[in-house]
Amino acid sequence: LDTDTPVDYLTFSGNGEPTLAANLGEMIQAAKAIRSEKVAVITNGTLLGREDVRKDLSAADLVLVKLEAADEATFQAVNRPAAGVTLASLITGIKVFRQGFRGRFALQVMFIEKNRSQAQAIARLAQGIGADEVQINTPLRRSFERPLSPADMAELKKAFAGQNVRSVYDEDRKDYRPFDEQATERRHGNFRG
């Protein structure tokens, strides 16, 4: 690891859902045993209904959970979940996890044309969940979905008034150097473009 590069969190995310790893809790503990940085996990949240998954995630310092819909039809259209996964089961799992989690908890909302009309309803869900932070995003990397404009996102952000909300367009775009540029390019394509 390049010691000149500041690291804020060691993050479990990437290709696939991290909570599918049976040894996630062990990996979080191992990372904490050998590194001083905090540990974050980015999850789609669909397994938060499971006690073993909640226990594994309880060792993290920050858990970020995706929430992109306020009704079942939009959830199915935007997230295309595995058979049997419903918005109701997702929200129930998130709430149960949030009640017992002592670390920092954030919701990530990816806004596209298909769900932008649900900003108010998603904001109400976020309020009820009690997230420490809500991150509203739109795809800025290559995607099948067109990103919403900065003006669109500023308008959507208003729905989250009174909550700690950050928009992807509020953040400074930082130039970064991945630890393994070839591996990053395999996962994300031309991430510099």
Side-chain angles (χ1 to χ4, degrees):
L1 182 62
D2 179 357
T3 56
D4 292 336
T5 303
V7 176
D8 52 359
Y9 285 93
L10 302 174
T11 304
F12 291 86
S13 68
N15 283 349
E17 170 55 34
T19 61
L20 288 172
N23 64 344
L24 178 62
E26 294 169 30
M27 289 189 297
I28 292 170
Q29 294 294 352
K32 287 183 155 203
I34 61 173
R35 301 289 304 186
S36 62
E37 294 87 4
K38 293 180 179 181
V39 172
V41 179
I42 302 173
T43 175
N44 65 22
T46 58
L47 296 179
L48 290 177
R50 291 179 49 161
E51 186 176 348
D52 60 331
V53 171
R54 293 191 304 271
K55 182 179 178 203
D56 285 349
L57 287 175
S58 69
D61 300 291
L62 169 64
V63 174
L64 302 100
V65 180
K66 293 170 46 95
L67 179 65
E68 277 104 20
D71 66 43
E72 188 63 32
T74 305
F75 177 68
Q76 294 295 324
V78 171
N79 294 96
R80 299 182 308 271
V85 175
T86 65
L87 179 62
S89 67
L90 172 67
I91 292 171
T92 298
I94 291 171
K95 287 180 175 180
V96 169
F97 175 72
R98 179 64 183 123
Q99 288 172 353
F101 184 57
R102 299 295 167 239
R104 187 161 176 77
F105 181 81
L107 290 173
Q108 290 187 326
V109 185
M110 180 68 70
F111 279 110
I112 56 176
E113 198 59 46
K114 291 176 188 171
N115 67 345
R116 70 185 290 175
S117 66
Q118 295 200 335
Q120 291 282 346
I122 293 170
R124 284 191 298 275
L125 284 172
Q127 185 74 39
I129 290 166
D132 296 311
E133 178 180 302
V134 180
Q135 299 173 1
I136 61 172
N137 302 307
T138 195
L140 296 182
R141 291 190 207 133
R142 275 186 308 190
S143 173
F144 291 110
E145 300 291 341
R146 187 179 58 79
L148 300 180
S149 71
D152 290 338
M153 292 297 288
E155 191 61 34
L156 293 175
K157 186 177 177 181
K158 292 177 185 177
F160 295 85
Q163 297 182 59
N164 181 17
V165 62
R166 294 169 44 191
S167 167
V168 67
Y169 289 123
D170 293 342
E171 302 300 315
D172 291 330
R173 302 269 325 239
K174 297 175 185 170
D175 188 35
Y176 69 95
R177 186 177 44 137
F179 298 118
D180 184 336
E181 193 143 341
Q182 290 177 334
T184 301
E185 189 146 333
R186 276 193 309 275
R187 287 190 315 274
H188 298 293
N190 180 8
F191 63 94
R192 298 231 185 256

